[in-house]
Structures are given as structure tokens and as C-alpha cells.
Amino acid sequence: MTIRVLLVDDQPLLRTGFRLILEAEPDVTVVGEAGDGKAAQDQSRALLPDVVLMDIRMPGVDGIEATRRIVREASGGAHVPRVLVLTTFDLDEYIVEALRAGASGFLLKDVPPDELVQAIRVVAAGDAIVAPSVTRRLLDKFGARLPSAHQQSTPARLDRLTERELEVLRLIARGMSNAEIAAELVVSETTVKTHVGNVLTKLNLRDRVQAVVLAYETGLITPGAIP
């Protein structure tokens, strides 16, 4: 199965670079390009890409609003593109808004080519990308705004989870993979997948990225919790 990718960036040189990297892969094809968010929305509607590689800061409609429009427009339909947001460390303040808008993850613009390709494959398969290193930098910026553990007990929404599911959610929020969580809890990876599925279902979350955002917003995990 070929992964159809739409490139969205206001810098033609960057789009060309990404295209060269992606079209060298046998299972990836670039179906279109857009230089702003409005064009991205139009192209997504017309071309039905599997993954939209989305820049954040663009003229006119920015990447956050474009992500929101694309996800909302496709919601409930047979084809829902997955949005993978591109950012730089000096634009970290936009990441939370991009995730809330429906993005399935974020990458740095200087991501190595092999990691870019792998991230696109992961997102296209329905999973999400949470980069622990970027999350750590994000917390440095937003730590003061997040609730601390002593400010509230476990929110009512999280009462639906068992103690083990809460533990799994904390580890997801630390950016750990299923394999890493399995090693941490000394259980099988299959058991972890079951717990992760239960967490997403009970909390009505689309993917692991939304789980990370919820964990920080509710104070389940706080700045400094990521080693």
C-alpha cells in the first residue's frame, strides 16, 4: 500500500527537499503541495492524502487552523487524513494548539530523513508521534501554566480508569513506547496494547497524542516528570 502525502510549507525549497526524500521511498508518494493553510485544505479535499505534512507558521491561514479545518471536515467520513506538524524549537508554543486542533504528532524541521519517513509510516498506520525531547522543551515553556499534583485530586474524567490504566497513561505521557512500558511494568507488550486501547476508549481519545495532552492538562503528570 502506497502512502499518499501532501506537503504543506510556505518555503518551496523545503517542500522540494521533503519531496526528494519521500519519493525515494517505494511505499511513499507525494500527491501534492501547498504553500498556505487555505490551499492545504483545498488540496486535502481534492487529493485525499493519507498524511498531511503541515508547517505551522504560514501566511494567511496558518498550520494550526488548517489542521483544525482538515480534521473537522473529514471527521466522520470514510477518509480522514492524518496531520503531522512540522515545528522548530522556537515555535514550541504552537505545539499544544496544533495537537488540540487534531494533529497526530509533531516533528522538528531538521529531522533526519530516515526519521521523517518512519514518522510518516507510523502516522499513516493510525498511530501517533510524541517526541520526548520536544515534549521536555515544551514543558519548560508551559510548566508554569500546567496544574500541579497538589492542586487537584484525580479528575472525575480519569475516574473511569483502573489504577493500572492510570499508570499506563502516565507512562504514555512520558513518551514511552509500548515496548518500553511493557519493560517498565514487567508485563507483555500485548497486555500493554490492551491497556492503551482501554485508556483511549474510556477517555474517548483519538490517539496517544491526545492522551499526552490530557495527562498534562489534568495534572496527572507534571513538569519534571519526564526524566
Side-chain angles (χ1 to χ4, degrees):
M1 178 179 177
T2 300
I3 302 171
R4 297 163 54 83
V5 179
L6 172 64
L7 301 177
V8 184
D9 197 295
D10 63 335
Q11 299 183 47
L13 186 59
L14 279 177
R15 296 201 307 269
T16 298
F18 288 135
R19 178 183 282 272
L20 289 173
I21 292 170
L22 298 179
E23 292 197 332
E25 300 297 323
D27 59 337
V28 179
T29 184
V30 176
V31 296
E33 299 182 16
D36 61 67
K38 177 60 170 61
Q41 182 184 9
D42 294 340
Q43 292 276 56
S44 178
R45 184 187 305 119
L47 300 174
L48 301 179
D50 301 305
V51 176
V52 180
L53 197 60
M54 179 78 74
D55 187 22
I56 289 183
R57 181 172 288 182
M58 295 180 292
V61 177
D62 65 18
I64 295 173
E65 179 58 26
T67 297
R68 185 177 293 112
R69 293 181 183 182
I70 289 171
V71 172
R72 182 176 58 224
E73 186 174 90
S75 180
H79 182 84
V80 180
R82 309 279 291 184
V83 180
L84 188 55
V85 169
L86 294 168
T87 185
T88 55
F89 275 140
D90 61 336
L91 294 179
D92 280 347
E93 63 268 24
Y94 293 96
I95 295 175
V96 166
E97 290 306 313
L99 298 179
R100 286 172 176 159
S104 294
F106 50 85
L107 294 175
L108 301 182
K109 279 196 171 181
D110 60 355
V111 62
D114 59 332
E115 292 184 18
L116 171 64
V117 174
Q118 181 57 25
I120 287 174
R121 289 177 178 138
V122 169
V123 168
D127 209 334
I129 294 295
V130 180
S133 60
V134 180
T135 303
R136 188 178 299 112
R137 290 289 298 269
L138 182 63
L139 290 176
D140 289 341
K141 285 179 175 286
F142 285 89
R145 307 182 195 179
L146 295 168
S148 61
H150 70 269
Q151 288 177 312
Q152 61 181 56
S153 57
T154 302
R157 186 177 182 185
L158 300 185
D159 284 344
R160 309 170 194 173
L161 304 182
T162 65
E163 284 300 317
R164 178 47 62 94
E165 289 165 353
L166 278 171
E167 191 172 11
V168 168
L169 177 55
R170 290 188 184 95
L171 297 179
I172 291 173
R174 286 171 54 189
M176 297 176 71
S177 67
N178 286 351
E180 291 169 334
I181 294 173
E184 176 79 12
L185 300 180
V186 195
V187 297
S188 71
E189 193 168 343
T190 300
T191 298
V192 172
K193 289 180 180 178
T194 299
H195 287 315
V196 172
N198 289 341
V199 168
L200 299 182
T201 299
K202 288 183 178 180
L203 299 180
N204 194 29
L205 301 174
R206 185 185 66 248
D207 52 37
R208 297 169 77 101
V209 172
Q210 289 193 337
V212 171
V213 173
L214 177 67
Y216 285 112
E217 287 183 332
T218 58
L220 182 65
I221 190 168
T222 56
I226 296 182

